[in-house]
Amino acid sequence: MSRSWLSLRVDLVGGGCRDLWPRPGRIFAAARSHTFTQLATAIDDAFARWDRAHLHQFELADGRRIGRPDWEDGEDPDLLDGHKFTLGKLRGGDQFVYTFDLGDRWAHLCTVAEQRIDPLEQLGIEPDQPLPYWGWGDIPDQYGRRWDTDDGETPLPPDPGLADLPPLQPGWGPNRRR
């Protein structure tokens, strides 16, 4: 296979009323035939989005917006359909923004690498959708929660070390050896 796929760097700039630094990121392999909707799904998977009941959109450098024009509250005639538009028009060096959750505005800077890649060399497979092959950084919870009962008011519980875990691994459990 030739080097015909795009390599896309996606940096999470911020969201939920805060900017992130250092910015977590992922690098994706994507065919030019993949759609923007497929890329959105891959980004949401890679950035641990678990509540997908939010709108999203891409904004290209020329001002075009791509997303889901048929959302429940009405239609946006200026929003291009992400199911129909492919990544085929993207060129090396292009930059655009992906926003997940138009309320909390999780903004991602997307940059197309100058060099195309061969998915078999990078991934060992030819996936049917965009797929991350490199990544870094801490991924924040999409609602800013830090533990399972975080309601925004309850203080962080004390760290039990590993004593609260079942003794299924060495060092786990209440009778663990230090």
Side-chain angles (χ1 to χ4, degrees), residues 71-93:
W71 53 289
E72 294 173 1
D73 292 340
E75 297 228 359
D76 183 344
D78 297 324
L79 190 66
L80 302 172
D81 189 344
H83 287 95
K84 295 178 182 175
F85 280 82
T86 68
L87 307 179
K89 299 277 191 222
L90 298 176
R91 300 290 174 251

Side-chain angles (χ1 to χ4, degrees), residues 50-63:
W50 51 269
D51 181 357
R52 302 288 178 96
H54 297 281
L55 293 174
H56 66 264
Q57 72 178 15
F58 291 91
E59 186 169 349
L60 305 182
D62 64 7

Side-chain angles (χ1 to χ4, degrees), residues 151-167:
D151 60 7
E153 297 175 15
T154 306
L156 184 66
D159 183 353
L162 303 174
D164 63 326
L165 298 174

Side-chain angles (χ1 to χ4, degrees), residues 26 29 42 68 73 86 116 121 139-141 143 162 177:
R26 302 291 181 262
R68 186 175 162 203
D73 292 340
T86 68
R116 296 225 174 124
E121 287 179 16
I139 304 297
D141 179 80
Y143 294 116
L162 303 174
R177 288 187 227 127

Side-chain angles (χ1 to χ4, degrees), residues 24-143:
R26 302 291 181 262
I27 298 180
F28 294 82
R32 292 175 292 162
S33 61
H34 288 147
T35 67
F36 278 90
T37 296
Q38 288 175 304
L39 179 59
T41 299
I43 293 171
D44 292 342
D45 287 346
F47 285 90
R49 306 276 158 57
W50 51 269
D51 181 357
R52 302 288 178 96
H54 297 281
L55 293 174
H56 66 264
Q57 72 178 15
F58 291 91
E59 186 169 349
L60 305 182
D62 64 7
R64 286 182 295 167
R65 294 180 307 116
I66 302 170
R68 186 175 162 203
D70 63 337
W71 53 289
E72 294 173 1
D73 292 340
E75 297 228 359
D76 183 344
D78 297 324
L79 190 66
L80 302 172
D81 189 344
H83 287 95
K84 295 178 182 175
F85 280 82
T86 68
L87 307 179
K89 299 277 191 222
L90 298 176
R91 300 290 174 251
D94 284 355
Q95 292 188 303
F96 54 96
V97 175
Y98 171 65
T99 304
F100 170 80
D101 186 347
L102 302 183
D104 280 342
R105 301 198 52 81
W106 289 98
H108 308 72
L109 174 62
C110 305
T111 305
V112 181
E114 293 291 341
Q115 300 297 318
R116 296 225 174 124
I117 62 169
D118 179 340
L120 292 176
E121 287 179 16
Q122 287 295 329
L123 305 167
I125 62 170
E126 186 178 317
D128 59 356
Q129 60 191 355
L131 190 67
Y133 64 92
W134 189 253
W136 59 91
D138 296 329
I139 304 297
D141 179 80
Q142 73 186 71
Y143 294 116

Side-chain angles (χ1 to χ4, degrees), residues 160-178:
L162 303 174
D164 63 326
L165 298 174
L168 300 174
Q169 291 285 304
W172 285 17
N175 298 322
R176 65 190 173 99
R177 288 187 227 127
R178 291 188 182 222

Side-chain angles (χ1 to χ4, degrees), residues 4-36:
S4 61
W5 280 42
L6 302 172
S7 178
L8 297 161
R9 177 182 172 133
V10 178
D11 292 279
L12 178 55
V13 176
C17 299
R18 63 187 174 126
D19 296 331
L20 300 174
W21 187 260
R23 295 182 187 112
R26 302 291 181 262
I27 298 180
F28 294 82
R32 292 175 292 162
S33 61
H34 288 147
T35 67
F36 278 90

